Amino acid sequence: NAGVTQTPKFRILKIGQSMTLQCTQDMNHNYMYWYRQDPGMGLKLIYYSVGAGITDKGEVPNGYNVSRSTTEDFPLRLELAAPSQTSVYFCASSTSGGMDMTEAFFGQGTRLTVV
Amino acid sequence: AQSVTQLDSQVPVFEEAPVELRCNYSSSVSVYLFWYVQYPNQGLQLLLKYLSGSTLVKGINGFEAEFNKSQTSFHLRKPSVHISDTAEYFCAVNLLTGGGNKLTFGTGTQLKVEL
């Protein structure tokens, strides 16, 4: 199984440019998430989605946008890249919450540098 | 609000020695608890999880963790580490509410196993 697939793996952006980080999962998971990982800071939740057509902000949503038109795909959009968005981005998915909670499955990450 | 504290940012240990990685959480409601491992340049993968039942949870690669509700802790242990255990370890918590499936991560502990 492919699991959670993120593209690209690496990207360098200039300040003010825009880009979309792609994420797709083939496990038919309802929940999907975007995290950013910065050294010594752990993972911070940017946005999450509980199903197609439903998205919500996480802890650090400013400067990002998401959409969830299908169960499989959850792209993350950066409209005006800033140096503060230099980070490693992880997409994850899981089946559901509550008593059916299972673990989140993570992609391999996208390393983004904004210069 | 829930939070997760990993007090040790780095833990050096010699091969075949025991190790304990500490995790404390704060929450006024019941929680699910997780430990994830991240090998260099990879995504996160689940080591073990506590949902309910026995407070001693066994995971992959010989790791185990004990849930202590009175001390709000979920420390990770391994009786004898191997070089291949060198990685970053993240503790995470998920609230048992109707608010959706949002994992909150600690800042991580870098385990370095030396010969």
Side-chain angles (χ1 to χ4, degrees):
Chain A
N1 286 343
V4 180
T5 303
Q6 291 182 237
T7 56
K9 287 187 170 54
F10 303 94
R11 182 72 184 268
I12 298 175
L13 276 184
K14 293 184 178 178
I15 294 171
Q17 286 185 321
S18 62
M19 77 164 292
T20 299
L21 282 67
Q22 301 292 344
C23 176
T24 187
Q25 52 93 6
D26 62 358
M27 297 173 282
N28 201 32
H29 285 171
N30 292 326
Y31 284 67
M32 295 188 74
Y33 321 81
W34 276 105
Y35 290 90
R36 60 176 288 172
Q37 183 182 25
D38 301 296
M41 301 294 289
L43 280 80
K44 302 292 185 184
L45 183 64
I46 304 171
Y47 271 94
Y48 69 103
S49 169
V50 301
I54 306 170
T55 63
D56 206 349
K57 295 177 181 179
E59 190 178 354
V60 289
N62 291 344
Y64 307 94
N65 278 300
V66 294
S67 60
R68 184 92 182 271
S69 57
T70 66
T71 299
E72 295 78 20
D73 300 306
F74 190 42
L76 177 72
R77 178 100 179 142
L78 283 71
E79 291 293 349
L80 290 170
S84 61
Q85 293 177 305
T86 294
S87 186
V88 180
Y89 292 83
F90 287 100
C91 180
S93 72
S94 66
T95 51
S96 66
M99 293 301 291
D100 295 324
M101 174 65 185
T102 63
E103 70 269 24
F105 293 83
F106 284 80
Q108 295 292 296
T110 296
R111 188 174 296 274
L112 176 68
T113 302
V114 181
V115 296
Chain B
Q2 63 189 64
S3 70
V4 181
T5 302
Q6 292 181 249
L7 288 173
D8 305 307
S9 60
Q10 294 186 40
V11 174
V13 63
F14 288 110
E15 193 174 33
E16 298 183 5
V19 71
E20 178 180 83
L21 306 184
R22 296 180 293 168
C23 173
N24 288 87
Y25 68 93
S26 64
S27 175
S28 58
V29 298
S30 296
V31 296
Y32 292 142
L33 294 156
F34 304 82
W35 275 99
Y36 284 84
V37 60
Q38 184 181 31
Y39 297 104
N41 300 313
Q42 294 190 25
L44 280 72
Q45 54 184 280
L46 184 73
L47 264 182
L48 48 78
K49 60 184 176 184
Y50 172 79
L51 304 183
S52 65
S54 174
T55 57
L56 183 63
V57 180
K58 293 189 184 299
I60 62 172
N61 300 340
F63 283 93
E64 63 181 32
E66 185 158 18
F67 171 57
N68 188 318
K69 188 174 182 179
S70 63
Q71 296 186 6
T72 60
S73 67
F74 191 54
H75 301 332
L76 181 71
R77 302 187 185 99
K78 186 169 183 178
S80 176
V81 295
H82 190 267
I83 287 286
S84 60
D85 292 323
T86 294
E88 189 150 23
Y89 293 78
F90 292 93
C91 182
V93 62
N94 188 307
L95 288 179
L96 289 179
T97 71
N101 203 4
K102 291 180 286 185
L103 283 176
T104 299
F105 286 86
T107 52
T109 298
Q110 180 67 44
L111 176 65
K112 185 173 182 181
V113 181
E114 303 168 349
L115 291 172

